Amino acid sequence: MFPRETYESRRSTLMSRFDGGLLLLLGNSESPMNYADNCYLFRQDSTFLYYFGLEQPDLAAVMDVDADTTIVFGEEHTIDDIVWMGDLPSLASRAERVGATDTRPTTDLAKLLGRAVTAGRAVHFLPPYRAETKLRLQNLLALAPEEVAREASEVFIKAVVDQRARKTPEEVAEIERAVATSVAMHETAIRMVRPGMKEMEVAAEMERMALAAGGRIAYPVIATINGQTLHNHYYGNTLSEGDIFLLDTGAETAMGYAADLTSTFPVGPHFDERQKVVLEIVLASYEAAVSALAPGVPNREVHFTACRTIFEGMKDLGVMRGDTEEALAAGAHAMVMPHGIGHMMGLDVHDMENLGEAYVGYAGEPRSTQFGLKSLRLARPLEPDFVLTIEPGVYFIPQLMDLWRSEGRLASFIDYDELDKWRDVGGLRTEEDFLITAHGARRLGPRKPQTVQEIEELKG
Ligand code: GLY
Ligand code: MN
Ligand code: MN
């Protein structure tokens, strides 16, 4: 937990953006896996964590802008709770640690909100992403199911996004801790893979290391010899000499801050020639994107800088052809790079995605519907203190290649016979995390091995 002043100051900044009314934040509840008492690992809502730092389930908070008070709602532990879960600090003492002025039992929340609604006061709340939170909002505010999303407060969303998007030095230090753990995880994986091993052994070691560092993984591990499937969570394959392994994993610290790193490395001691050629294109794209990072630069441009390098690399291989700018505008590069160059990162690995990417990554601009570009989560101009990922990749996706070829899609830019020669190479990506500074950007945490030489040296 950060010092009490951190939470007090975050809340007072938030409240200063409103002329009056109530700001309602609901924490998360336990989420049953297969029966009520067997739950998924509890994860607090990130916005609740940001303003209150309290990890326990079933909390809520109301900031009354007019009265300048903050009330945390929850239940004190019963003797049964203590018997099953141990002696825990009281709600009052936990709230006091984060500077909340008052605590009340959960039943008081409905009464307080009912009075506010009757008095015509504004009750601002954020769009819910869990079914139980939607239900709770319906009940608390007497809303019909379809009204919940519609009534979510745009000014509240914008205020939270503005604040959470700019990381303070103490948040950056926490993210760098997550990255340091994650770099150690990646180095371990690069050293440990060998023919005969299963993908799940690598995935298991990644989870172990994140837990041993005091946190957990920030998102499900991708540990696969089929990196061309972008979010591949299958770990059943046995590794063979000649396979290329894509690892996308990041730790989350005890306070909930994420890292997000990807490495691609050979199962055997060396990359083969084609893997090397493709990795060099990915790394050139990464370097170009990183060099483009600066305040004021729209991240859409950073994306196109990365894609331009990939398209040029594909041209050098004879796979793509034609005028680069025309090809980029038409989306030809998306055949091998169908996702965006990166996204914001913080308390969520895709930071604040639950509040709406239109607010987080587009700030009101329209989002493209073109294949590839529609998956760019962050397009808006970068600002100092933003934290984001840079994650270019090149993927040979047989089903996509066959579909586009059968349609003759963008055939003036893609030589499908040449492309077909690469269909068994799979997918390669590299990913690191950056802070936008006053004049450019700085990589967060230690550098991970990512060149052909660095990776082969680490494998010994
Ligand atoms: N780890 C998911 C992503 O890179 O966006
Ligand atoms: Mn990732
Ligand atoms: Mn990412």
Side-chain angles (χ1 to χ4, degrees), residues 219 231 248 260 343 350 391 431:
Y219 55 91
H231 279 175
D248 184 343
D260 185 5
H343 49 84
H350 290 179
E391 49 179 305
E431 179 175 21

Side-chain angles (χ1 to χ4, degrees), residues 343-384:
H343 49 84
M344 289 220 199
M345 192 187 79
L347 279 166
D348 307 299
V349 65
H350 290 179
D351 211 20
M352 302 175 279
E353 199 166 290
N354 61 305
L355 298 179
E357 286 183 318
Y359 299 105
V360 178
Y362 283 79
E365 297 167 53
R367 184 163 174 167
S368 173
T369 54
Q370 186 187 66
F371 180 76
L373 193 51
K374 72 179 178 188
S375 301
L376 176 63
R377 300 178 187 284
L378 176 61
R380 68 196 263 196
L382 300 171
E383 295 180 31

Side-chain angles (χ1 to χ4, degrees), residues 100-157:
T101 45
D102 200 1
T103 56
R104 306 260 181 88
T106 305
T107 44
D108 283 7
L109 178 60
K111 292 181 211 154
L112 182 141
L113 293 176
R115 280 196 299 274
V117 170
T118 308
R121 300 186 67 197
V123 178
H124 298 275
F125 63 88
L126 299 172
Y129 53 90
R130 288 193 179 189
E132 58 269 31
T133 315
K134 289 180 195 167
L135 264 176
R136 204 171 170 201
L137 284 167
Q138 283 174 42
N139 291 332
L140 286 169
L141 298 169
L143 294 171
E146 67 279 8
E147 285 176 324
V148 174
R150 203 168 63 219
E151 298 292 323
S153 165
E154 192 174 38
V155 277
F156 196 6
I157 294 170

Side-chain angles (χ1 to χ4, degrees), residues 67-122:
D68 194 22
T69 55
T70 299
I71 305 173
V72 174
F73 294 85
E75 298 302 334
E76 292 298 354
H77 296 293
T78 64
I79 189 64
D80 283 300
D81 293 334
I82 292 166
V83 167
W84 289 96
M85 295 183 299
D87 199 5
L88 299 161
S90 69
L91 177 62
S93 69
R94 284 179 281 141
E96 203 271 331
R97 278 208 56 197
V98 295
T101 45
D102 200 1
T103 56
R104 306 260 181 88
T106 305
T107 44
D108 283 7
L109 178 60
K111 292 181 211 154
L112 182 141
L113 293 176
R115 280 196 299 274
V117 170
T118 308
R121 300 186 67 197

Side-chain angles (χ1 to χ4, degrees), residues 414-433:
I414 301 171
D415 184 328
Y416 283 103
D417 286 335
E418 286 302 314
L419 177 63
D420 212 46
K421 295 179 183 164
W422 298 82
R423 71 187 285 133
D424 59 339
V425 172
L428 294 87
R429 175 167 72 249
T430 195
E431 179 175 21
E432 286 192 308
D433 308 323

Side-chain angles (χ1 to χ4, degrees), residues 263-283:
S263 304
T264 312
F265 43 88
V267 166
H270 301 290
F271 290 93
D272 70 25
E273 278 314 306
R274 292 191 308 163
Q275 292 164 351
K276 218 184 271 188
V277 164
V278 176
L279 185 63
E280 295 296 357
I281 294 171
V282 172
L283 293 174

Side-chain angles (χ1 to χ4, degrees), residues 389-431:
T389 65
I390 290 293
E391 49 179 305
V394 168
Y395 312 90
F396 299 97
I397 305 168
Q399 297 85 343
L400 185 67
M401 290 160 59
D402 293 344
L403 177 70
W404 281 28
R405 182 179 196 145
S406 72
E407 294 170 344
R409 187 136 154 205
L410 300 171
S412 59
F413 300 119
I414 301 171
D415 184 328
Y416 283 103
D417 286 335
E418 286 302 314
L419 177 63
D420 212 46
K421 295 179 183 164
W422 298 82
R423 71 187 285 133
D424 59 339
V425 172
L428 294 87
R429 175 167 72 249
T430 195
E431 179 175 21

